């Protein structure tokens, strides 16, 4: 934890915002922006988590997603949530340990909520069948904004969209943003799900249970007109 004065917090927020708009691929800048601008949203998320038994258990036990978590899922069938997640991570050579640690959130429980949000991001890629292309990341970030209200998510989409070509921006605005809005409303509070308890469950069944609407596939978008 790095304590900041109000002036220092504002400086870090402004610097991170400017840097993130130029380099949205800089995870450290995006993380710092989220931590310095997300206090009110983190409080709302915690309140949502406290309303459910599963959410309260997460806040109580504070589970972490680590490299050891991933190693324990390698032998699960691909149709399970854990197996699909392991396959997703292995294909992209991602590891949970790559996620930066929260530094600028003073409240210990809110710091955990911020860390949890960071660590389950790849779960959401799997659950919503959202690709890790720039278009896919911006689409998921849009869903995250509608679900969490974190300003960083909005700023990431606002800046990152200009790295897309004209056609991709149209696809984002006409198809993925409406999907993200609808999917965020239909799904239960995503941070109140104890994902670790569901690794061995069938992924499609979990999607139905959690109210998940998967992202539009590339194939389905080919038949949709752009205006």
């Amino acid at each position: 934890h790095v304590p900041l004065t109000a002036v220092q917090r504002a400086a870090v927020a402004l610097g991170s915002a400017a840097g993130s708009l130029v380099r949205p691929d800089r995870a450290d800048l995006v993380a710092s922006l989220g931590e310095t601008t997300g206090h009110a949203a983190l409080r709302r998320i915690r309140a949502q988590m406290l309303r459910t038994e599963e959410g309260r258990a997460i806040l109580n036990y504070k589970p972490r997603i680590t490299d050891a978590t991933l190693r324990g899922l390698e032998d699960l069938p691909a149709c399970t949530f854990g197996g699909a997640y392991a396959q997703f991570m292995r294909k992209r050579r991602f590891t949970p340990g790559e996620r930066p640690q929260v530094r600028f959130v003073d409240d210990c429980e809110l710091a955990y909520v911020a860390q949890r949000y960071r660590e389950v991001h790849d779960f959401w890629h799997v659950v919503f069948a959202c690709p890790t292309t720039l278009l896919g990341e911006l689409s998921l970030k849009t869903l995250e904004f509608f679900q969490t209200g974190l300003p960083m998510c909005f700023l990431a989409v606002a800046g990152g969209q200009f790295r897309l070509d004209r056609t991709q921006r149209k696809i984002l605005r006409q198809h993925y943003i409406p999907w993200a809005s609808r999917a965020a409303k239909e799904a239960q509070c995503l941070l109140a799900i104890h994902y670790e308890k569901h690794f061995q469950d069938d992924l499609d069944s979990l999607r139905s249970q959690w109210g998940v609407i998967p992202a539009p596939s590339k194939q389905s978008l080919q038949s949709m007109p752009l205006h």
Side-chain angles (χ1 to χ4, degrees):
H1 173 242
V2 180
L4 298 174
T5 66
V7 173
Q8 289 171 330
R9 185 173 299 276
V12 171
L14 289 172
S16 299
S20 298
L21 290 173
V22 177
R23 291 284 306 277
D25 58 319
R26 282 280 302 275
D28 58 332
L29 294 175
V30 174
S32 296
L33 178 62
E35 293 171 32
T36 51
T37 62
H39 183 77
L42 291 173
R43 287 176 61 89
R44 287 193 296 269
I45 295 167
R46 177 174 62 181
Q48 288 180 309
M49 296 174 74
L50 287 170
R51 294 190 191 114
T52 70
E53 183 178 352
E54 203 165 4
R56 289 191 295 271
I58 294 169
L59 291 173
N60 185 33
Y61 294 106
K62 294 179 173 56
R64 297 294 303 274
I65 311 301
T66 65
D67 293 348
T69 306
L70 181 58
R71 288 193 296 271
L73 306 176
E74 291 294 340
D75 295 329
L76 288 178
C79 62
T80 65
F81 168 50
Y85 168 67
Q87 188 178 73
F88 169 90
M89 298 293 278
R90 182 172 58 250
K91 182 178 179 181
R92 293 161 179 79
R93 298 183 180 180
F94 292 169
T95 61
E98 294 172 348
R99 296 289 175 190
Q101 298 295 307
V102 171
R103 297 182 296 161
F104 302 126
V105 179
D106 295 331
D107 182 284
C108 291
E109 196 163 65
L110 294 184
Y112 173 74
V113 173
Q115 190 68 42
R116 181 71 173 175
Y117 159 74
R118 200 167 288 171
E119 292 179 2
V120 299
H121 173 81
D122 287 325
F123 288 164
W124 297 346
H125 271 289
V126 174
V127 169
F128 287 97
C130 212
T132 53
T133 60
L134 178 58
L135 180 58
E137 290 287 359
L138 295 179
S139 302
L140 187 57
K141 272 286 178 282
T142 305
L143 185 151
E144 291 174 6
F145 173 69
F146 287 129
Q147 258 266 335
T148 68
L150 286 165
M152 171 269 295
C153 298
F154 174 81
L155 292 171
V157 177
Q161 66 173 311
F162 295 107
R163 299 182 65 200
L164 300 171
D165 62 34
R166 184 178 179 184
T167 299
Q168 289 175 322
R169 282 198 298 275
K170 284 187 176 181
I171 292 173
L172 176 67
R173 294 168 182 171
Q174 296 181 24
H175 297 299
Y176 279 112
I177 289 178
W179 159 78
S181 176
R182 185 172 69 255
K185 292 175 183 176
E186 291 293 327
Q188 65 183 75
C189 176
L190 296 172
L191 278 159
I193 298 174
H194 202 156
Y195 295 98
E196 296 88 334
K197 292 184 177 294
H198 300 284
F199 283 144
Q200 298 187 37
D201 296 341
D202 180 77
L203 178 56
D204 288 333
S205 296
L206 289 175
R207 284 172 173 152
S208 298
Q209 178 181 327
W210 295 335
V212 167
I213 302 173
S217 66
K218 185 177 180 180
Q219 292 74 17
S220 68
L221 290 174
Q222 289 175 347
S223 62
M224 298 180 184
L226 294 175
H227 306 290

